[in-house]
């Protein structure tokens, strides 16, 4: 179980670092950015290519076109994912939870960014993962049910959808008054709502950063 978590975490580190690298000494640069050994970076790139998440193009590794199209298609504010990256990573380190930035995506909701936490959870933890309307994030962005609502627009999922899984989500207001949701997911042994203050603080910090970017 520990090995599988480390592989998933390493794969997401490589995916997040790819846009920051060029063709020159790319593997070395990825190893530095991800803090992974070079052989591990090589292996993960091969696995990501097999999964359709990365591809070799023009002498360098790049994100697969499908991932880029997904990000551009659902990102409600240009640069949102990039601006949120540091905040999301910090929240993950503070809470140990799986952290998601959830946005409206057509008729449903989509994880624009998602970083796996320390616990292995019974969910698909990757960018582009669909979020049902009755998740905590879906309630924040969509509507009822009232009993799972919390103060300041937040919502909870205490094993309402999946046994052993809890979530806590808060709204993030973008410039222009559009909204996305910041959500953490944990095992029921560490209920997500216990970290409510940290999630609200992270959402406020993200709103501040986005406001400064627009100015």
């Amino acid at each position: 179980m520990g090995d599988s978590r480390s592989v998933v975490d390493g794969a997401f580190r490589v995916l997040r670092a790819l846009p920051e690298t060029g063709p020159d000494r790319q593997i070395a640069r990825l190893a530095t950015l991800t803090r992974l050994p070079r052989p591990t970076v090589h292996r993960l790139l091969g696995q990501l290519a097999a999964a359709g998440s990365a591809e070799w193009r023009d002498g360098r590794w790049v994100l697969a076109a499908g991932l880029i199209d997904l990000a551009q298609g659902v990102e409600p504010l240009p640069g949102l994912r990039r601006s949120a990256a540091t905040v999301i990573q910090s929240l993950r380190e503070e809470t140990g939870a799986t952290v998601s930035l959830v946005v409206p995506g057509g008729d449903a909701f989509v994880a624009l960014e998602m970083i796996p936490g320390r616990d292995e959870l019974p969910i698909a933890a990757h960018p582009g993962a669909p979020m049902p309307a009755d998740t905590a994030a879906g309630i924040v962005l969509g509507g009822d049910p009232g009993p799972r609502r919390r103060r300041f627009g937040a919502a909870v999922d205490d094993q309402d959808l999946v046994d052993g899984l809890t979530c806590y989500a808060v709204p993030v207001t973008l410039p222009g008054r559009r909204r996305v949701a910041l959500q953490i997911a944990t095992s029921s042994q560490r209920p997500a709502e216990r970290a409510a203050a940290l999630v609200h603080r992270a959402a406020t910090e993200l709103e501040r950063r986005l406001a400064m970017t627009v100015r």
Side-chain angles (χ1 to χ4, degrees), residues 96-165:
T98 294
V99 183
S100 310
L101 186 67
V102 181
V103 302
D107 297 329
F109 305 103
V110 177
L112 180 65
E113 181 61 286
M114 194 171 192
I115 301 179
R118 300 190 188 104
D119 297 333
E120 186 169 345
L121 301 177
I123 57 175
H126 59 80
M131 289 284 171
D134 48 359
T135 60
I139 294 172
V140 165
L141 297 175
D144 282 332
R148 290 168 56 197
R149 290 281 190 175
R150 295 296 185 268
R151 298 177 61 192
F152 308 114
V156 299
D157 174 359
D158 187 5
Q159 305 186 79
D160 295 285
L161 273 68
V162 179
D163 287 344
L165 179 71

Side-chain angles (χ1 to χ4, degrees), residues 13-110:
R13 283 198 246 170
V14 171
L15 284 176
R16 288 195 298 273
L18 266 179
E20 302 179 36
T21 63
D24 295 334
R25 304 183 68 250
Q26 188 179 30
I27 299 300
R29 177 69 174 152
L30 285 170
T32 299
L33 290 172
T34 61
R35 301 178 185 175
L36 295 170
R38 293 190 195 187
T40 300
V41 172
H42 269 293
R43 187 183 75 251
L44 289 172
L45 284 169
Q47 293 173 345
L48 289 168
S53 299
E55 57 190 45
W56 179 259
R57 188 191 312 153
D58 299 326
R60 61 173 293 196
W61 286 99
V62 297
L63 293 176
L67 285 181
I68 297 172
D69 291 343
L70 169 67
Q72 292 176 340
V74 301
E75 193 166 23
L77 180 72
L80 171 60
R81 188 179 185 186
R82 183 177 64 253
S83 298
T86 303
V87 174
I88 290 175
Q89 185 63 48
S90 295
L91 183 58
R92 190 268 189 194
E93 294 305 317
E94 287 182 311
T95 63
T98 294
V99 183
S100 310
L101 186 67
V102 181
V103 302
D107 297 329
F109 305 103
V110 177

Side-chain angles (χ1 to χ4, degrees), residues 77 79-88 100-101 171-175 180-182 199-213:
L77 180 72
L80 171 60
R81 188 179 185 186
R82 183 177 64 253
S83 298
T86 303
V87 174
I88 290 175
S100 310
L101 186 67
V172 177
T173 302
L174 308 180
V180 299
L182 184 62
V199 184
H200 281 281
R201 187 176 70 187
T204 299
E205 173 61 16
L206 180 53
E207 289 178 346
R208 185 189 69 81
R209 293 187 181 205
L210 292 171
M212 291 178 63
T213 300

